[in-house]
Amino acid sequence: MSDKPSVLFVCVHNAGRSQMAAGWLRHLAGDAVEVRSAGSAPAGTVNPAAVEAMREVGIDISTQTPTLLEYATAESSDVIVTMGCGDACPVFPGKRYEDWRLEDPAGKGVEAVRPIRDEIRARVQRLLRELVPAG
C-alpha cells in the first residue's frame, strides 16, 4: 500500500451501497484515502433513496455517477470492497478484499435505506481505522 491507500467499493449497479460507502469514506477520511466506486453493470443514476438518506447526515452524493468497473481501476486499488457483484469482480493477488453483505437498497424508500446507510458507516469507520491508524 502507498502512503495514501486507495479503496474501491464495488456493487452491481454502483447506484446505492457502493455510492453510500464512497460518500462515507470521503466524508470521514478527507484526503487521507483515495476513494473509488464502480459497478459491474452500472445504473443510469444514483438511487434517489440513497441520495436522500445520505443528505440527511450531511453528505451529498447527488452529483455522483454510476461508473463501469474497469480492470485498471481494480488493479491499482489497495483495498477492494465488494457488495454483491460476485464473479464480475476481478481478483488480483496481493490485494485486500472484503465482501460486505448488505441489503440492496434498490426499490426501497428512504426509511428502509437508513439502516443500510448506518451499517455502511460503521463498516467504513472500521476500515478507516485499519487503513489510517490514529496518531
Side-chain angles (χ1 to χ4, degrees):
M1 225 179 291
S2 66
D3 290 341
K4 183 176 181 175
S6 59
V7 176
L8 171 62
F9 295 104
V10 183
C11 66
V12 175
H13 299 298
N14 189 223
R17 295 165 290 187
S18 56
Q19 291 288 351
M20 288 191 288
W24 274 121
L25 188 54
R26 280 188 207 98
H27 177 75
L28 296 169
D31 58 358
V33 176
E34 183 179 352
V35 181
R36 306 163 173 181
S37 71
S40 53
T45 60
V46 175
N47 179 324
V51 170
E52 180 57 29
M54 294 299 284
R55 183 177 290 127
E56 291 176 352
V57 294
I59 300 171
D60 183 8
I61 62 170
S62 66
T63 60
Q64 299 302 311
T65 303
T67 304
L68 180 63
L69 176 61
E70 302 263 341
Y71 183 91
T73 302
E75 184 178 38
S76 65
S77 297
D78 296 309
V79 179
I80 299 172
V81 179
T82 58
M83 302 176 178
C85 67
D87 294 338
C89 296
V91 175
F92 298 97
K95 300 289 178 195
R96 175 177 170 180
Y97 287 88
E98 292 192 19
D99 184 33
W100 293 358
R101 300 221 180 253
L102 297 159
E103 189 175 350
D104 189 348
K108 294 178 174 41
V110 71
E111 300 81 18
V113 174
R114 286 182 189 120
I116 301 167
R117 171 200 67 199
D118 296 343
E119 176 64 22
I120 291 171
R121 178 184 181 148
R123 291 177 189 221
V124 166
Q125 287 174 316
R126 187 199 83 239
L127 178 63
L128 182 57
R129 283 192 302 270
E130 294 169 359
L131 293 176
V132 185

